[in-house]
Structures are given as structure tokens and as C-alpha cells.
Amino acid sequence: MTAKWIELVTGPLEEKRRWRRFKQRKEQLPAGYRRAMDGLERYFMYAAPIAKGDVYVQMLEDLVDLVERAAVDGTPVRSIVGEDPVEFAEAFIANYADGQWIDKERRRLVETIDRSAEEV
């Protein structure tokens, strides 16, 4: 009962736990991989229009999975992101389009135009 009330005020607690686990995993990466993760995370924060917190956390968990595996295998950072890290980041974000706020606005626009077209 208390946990549900707290979640009502602060948001889902499990999501916050997943976020903390993600941060811990990122901190355990070797320095070069961690720096790449920091850059990608920062870019995602500004460029990924994801409105759903659970989708955003899932995206970061998937990214840290990828980078952790690369670190274990000794795969260079450039082999992960390629020559254009922005292109990599944009392609990565596109895989999580379901949680993007712009999709909601696109659907809303299409519905509005459909209703308008029916009235005319």
C-alpha cells in the first residue's frame, strides 16, 4: 500500500532500480568504453525524444549490454559505433521508436486531419 502511494508520487520504483543498476554497470566498464557510453547517453538525453521512462531505461540497458560484450571481447569502440557515431546513435534510437513522444504527436496529427477531412 505504501509502495503504491510512493510510486504515485515519484514514479515506478522498479524503473528507478533498473536505472541505478544501469549506472553501476556503466561505472564498471573500462575507461574508454565508459567514456563512449557517457557520450552516447548524453546524446540520447538530448536527441532521443522518448517519453516513456521504461523504454528509455531499456534502451540504455541494451546499449550497456552491447558495450559490455564488446569490452569483454576487446572490440574497439570504433568497431561498435563506426566512423560516424551520430549515425550509430540515430540508428540505435530508431529501434526504440515506440516510446518516442513524436510518434504520439504524429498519430494525433493524422487523426486530426482524418476527422477534418470527414467534416469537409
Side-chain angles (χ1 to χ4, degrees):
M1 176 88 169
T2 304
K4 287 193 183 263
W5 190 84
I6 291 171
E7 284 187 352
L8 183 65
V9 174
T10 65
L13 294 176
E14 180 55 29
E15 203 171 289
K16 291 175 183 7
R17 289 184 193 108
R18 289 174 57 201
W19 173 260
R20 277 189 236 116
R21 283 194 298 267
F22 158 73
K23 288 292 194 181
Q24 290 170 346
R25 290 173 65 191
K26 187 178 79 168
E27 288 305 313
Q28 294 173 354
L29 288 168
Y33 295 97
R34 188 174 54 246
R35 189 172 301 113
M37 280 291 304
D38 286 342
L40 288 164
E41 184 183 353
R42 179 178 170 83
Y43 186 82
F44 290 166
M45 188 73 90
Y46 288 103
I50 295 175
K52 295 179 180 176
D54 60 329
V55 173
Y56 188 70
V57 171
Q58 183 63 55
M59 182 173 72
L60 293 174
E61 288 173 338
D62 292 346
L63 181 63
V64 82
D65 284 344
L66 175 71
V67 174
E68 281 175 340
R69 274 186 249 132
V72 167
D73 295 342
T75 304
V77 170
R78 278 282 178 207
S79 294
I80 302 169
V81 300
E83 290 302 314
D84 186 353
V86 173
E87 183 178 311
F88 170 83
E90 293 292 334
F92 201 88
I93 291 168
N95 290 319
Y96 300 89
D98 190 35
Q100 295 183 4
W101 62 266
I102 194 69
D103 287 343
K104 179 179 171 185
E105 293 306 316
R106 287 177 180 144
R107 279 193 301 275
R108 185 176 290 169
L109 175 61
V110 168
E111 290 168 5
T112 300
I113 297 301
D114 287 346
R115 281 196 308 272
S116 296
E118 291 172 2
E119 293 174 1
V120 176

